[in-house]
Amino acid sequence: MGENSTDIIINRAPSSHIGAVDFDNLSFGNTFTDHMLMCDFRNGKWETPVIKPYEPFLIDPSAKVFHYGQAIFEGMKAYKDEHDDIWLFRPDQNHDRFNKSAERLAMPSVPEEIFIGGMKTLIGLEKEWVKKGRGNSLYIRPFMIAIGPGVIAAPSTQYRFMIILSPARSYYSGEVKVIIAEHYSRAANGGIGAAKAAGNYSAQFYPTRLANDMGYQQIIWTDDATHTKLEEAGTMNVFFRINDTLYTAPTSERILDGVTRKSIIDLAARENIKVEVRSVLVSELMEAAGNGSLKEIFGAGTAAVINPIVGFCYQDKYHELPKMENSFASELKEKLTNIQYKLGEDTFGWTVKI
C-alpha cells in the first residue's frame, strides 16, 4: 500500500538493512540504501514517480539502452551537518547538466519537481544513511535509460529515470601518477564529450587499462585533433599550478562542465588565487616541469573533490612533482568541503537544505 507525497508514490521497504552495513569500511559505490526512485516516460509524458524498495527490475532484451547506448547519469552528494540537517551541494547545476546530456542524446528532459523534488523526498526517507562527520556523505546517482523495445536504429519513445543512493566515505585512491595521452582520445569535436553519457566512460576503460599496466593510475586526455592541448584527467577535470597561477581548460564540446571545477574556480577567486581558464599546451607543461615552475597538478570531481597528482609521464619520460607544504589543492579542498559540511560560511549560496 503506497502513500502519496507531493505526487510521489512511496512504497516503503518492510525492513531496513542499515544495521548490517559497516559504515567504517565502505567500498565506494557498492552499498545502496533501502529505497530507490523510479519514474517512466511514456506516451510523450512523465508518469508519477514511485519510491520503492531497492531491487532489480525486468527490462525488454530489445530495450534501446542495450543496443544504441541511450544512457546518461549524474553524480552528486548529500552531507549531514553537526545539527543533523542534510544539505545538497549545487543540485541545480546537476539538474541543468543532466538535461543538457538528455538533449544531446535525444532523450526527454526531466522536470525539476521529479529530479530535485524526488531526490529530496528520497533522501528524506533515507536520512539515517547520511552519517555526520567530514568525509562521510551520501552519494547520489540519478540516471536515465532508454527502455523502449525494438532494434531499429532510432531514439526510444520510452525512458526510465531513476535515483539510487550509496553511503560513502572519503574517497582516497593513494598516490596518483598519470600518463599524457598521445593516441587515444576521450572525446571529439561534435561528439558527446560534454554530456555525462555512459558511453564516454566505457570508451575510457581500455586506454586506462593500458595505462594501469604501465604503472599509471589515470590518463590526462589531450585534444583529439592534435594531442597538444591538455583537457581532463581520468574522469575528472584537471588543474595545473604554474608558479602561483592555476590553469584549467575551458569547457567545450569535448570537456565536461564539472560542478566541482566551476566551484574551485569561484573559490580560488574569493581566496585571491589567480586562475586562468584557457587551453593549456603539453609543450607549456613540459617547459614548466623543466624549469621548476610547475608546482601542482590535481583532478577535480564529485567523488574525490580534489585528487592531487604526484607525477606524469610523457613520451616515456616520467616527471615527479615537488612536495608542496601548503598546496593549493589542500587549501581549496578544505575550504570547499567546509562549505559542503556547513563548517564554513557559504558565501556563494551553493548549499540547499533538504
Side-chain angles (χ1 to χ4, degrees), residues 171 176-180 204 208 211-212 216-221 233-236 307 309:
Y171 186 92
V176 175
K177 298 178 180 179
V178 299
I179 188 166
I180 295 175
Q204 293 183 40
T208 302
N212 295 161
Y216 299 96
Q217 286 70 47
Q218 287 292 355
I219 296 171
I220 291 186
W221 302 100
T235 59
M236 307 176 83
N307 201 338
I309 290 166

Side-chain angles (χ1 to χ4, degrees), residues 50-67:
V50 177
I51 291 174
K52 58 188 293 188
Y54 183 96
E55 62 187 1
F57 56 83
L58 293 173
I59 190 169
D60 195 292
S62 72
K64 303 258 185 180
V65 63
F66 299 135
H67 303 275

Side-chain angles (χ1 to χ4, degrees), residues 152-169:
I152 186 170
S156 179
T157 58
Q158 299 173 35
Y159 296 89
R160 177 162 292 165
F161 171 72
M162 297 190 66
I163 304 174
I164 55 177
L165 307 173
S166 177
R169 296 273 293 165

Side-chain angles (χ1 to χ4, degrees), residues 12-317:
R12 292 178 183 266
S15 62
S16 175
H17 70 284
I18 193 170
V21 175
D22 182 356
F23 282 87
D24 293 324
N25 294 288
L26 289 168
S27 176
F28 184 80
N30 283 334
T31 301
F32 296 94
T33 66
D34 296 316
H35 299 88
M36 61 186 188
L37 180 140
M38 181 184 293
C39 186
D40 286 353
F41 181 91
R42 300 177 193 272
N43 301 314
K45 62 180 178 23
W46 288 101
E47 298 176 349
T48 303
V50 177
I51 291 174
K52 58 188 293 188
Y54 183 96
E55 62 187 1
F57 56 83
L58 293 173
I59 190 169
D60 195 292
S62 72
K64 303 258 185 180
V65 63
F66 299 135
H67 303 275
Y68 302 110
Q70 279 185 293
I72 60 172
F73 68 95
E74 274 297 324
M76 310 166 60
K77 284 181 179 177
Y79 309 86
K80 183 175 280 185
D81 67 16
E82 291 304 307
H83 306 290
D84 287 328
D85 290 323
I86 299 172
W87 300 82
L88 297 172
F89 183 73
R90 308 189 75 177
D92 58 314
Q93 299 294 313
N94 294 93
H95 178 230
D96 182 58
R97 187 173 64 183
F98 189 86
N99 282 337
K100 287 178 179 174
S101 297
E103 181 179 10
R104 182 62 183 85
L105 271 76
M107 304 169 85
S109 63
V110 177
E112 182 179 346
E113 59 268 23
I114 295 176
F115 188 97
I116 294 179
M119 184 182 298
K120 287 180 175 181
T121 303
L122 178 63
I123 295 170
L125 195 66
E126 306 284 52
K127 57 182 180 291
E128 297 305 317
W129 289 84
V130 196
K131 299 302 181 182
K132 284 194 291 194
R134 188 192 288 272
N136 294 318
S137 62
L138 186 68
Y139 185 76
I140 308 163
R141 173 53 63 92
F143 64 99
M144 178 165 48
I145 58 172
I147 59 171
V151 294
I152 186 170
S156 179
T157 58
Q158 299 173 35
Y159 296 89
R160 177 162 292 165
F161 171 72
M162 297 190 66
I163 304 174
I164 55 177
L165 307 173
S166 177
R169 296 273 293 165
S170 284
Y171 186 92
Y172 177 67
S173 57
E175 288 201 341
V176 175
K177 298 178 180 179
V178 299
I179 188 166
I180 295 175
E182 296 178 64
H183 173 70
Y184 292 102
S185 300
R186 179 191 167 274
N189 280 334
I192 59 170
K196 208 159 172 65
N200 287 341
Y201 296 80
S202 59
Q204 293 183 40
F205 292 157
Y206 174 67
T208 302
R209 189 174 71 191
L210 296 180
N212 295 161
D213 291 344
M214 296 170 65
Y216 299 96
Q217 286 70 47
Q218 287 292 355
I219 296 171
I220 291 186
W221 302 100
T222 50
D223 68 292
D224 62 298
T226 66
H227 294 292
T228 60
K229 298 173 184 175
L230 298 156
E231 300 205 323
E232 290 194 16
T235 59
M236 307 176 83
N237 296 114
V238 65
F239 287 79
F240 306 91
R241 176 184 174 184
I242 298 175
N243 290 319
D244 285 332
T245 300
L246 280 178
Y247 297 87
T248 193
T251 54
S252 69
E253 290 180 311
R254 302 186 306 273
I255 296 177
L256 191 72
D257 185 13
V259 177
T260 306
R261 170 193 175 276
K262 65 178 75 176
S263 303
I264 287 170
I265 292 169
D266 290 346
L267 197 56
R270 191 190 76 179
E271 299 300 317
N272 296 314
I273 295 172
K274 188 179 178 185
V275 181
E276 287 192 23
V277 179
R278 64 164 177 83
S279 292
V280 182
L281 301 177
V282 177
S283 58
E284 286 183 272
L285 187 72
M286 299 307 296
E287 182 182 350
N291 64 27
S293 61
L294 178 64
K295 305 299 185 187
E296 298 179 66
I297 305 174
F298 56 86
T302 297
V305 185
I306 287 177
N307 201 338
I309 290 166
V310 300
F312 71 92
C313 177
Y314 182 63
Q315 292 182 340
D316 299 324
K317 186 177 180 185

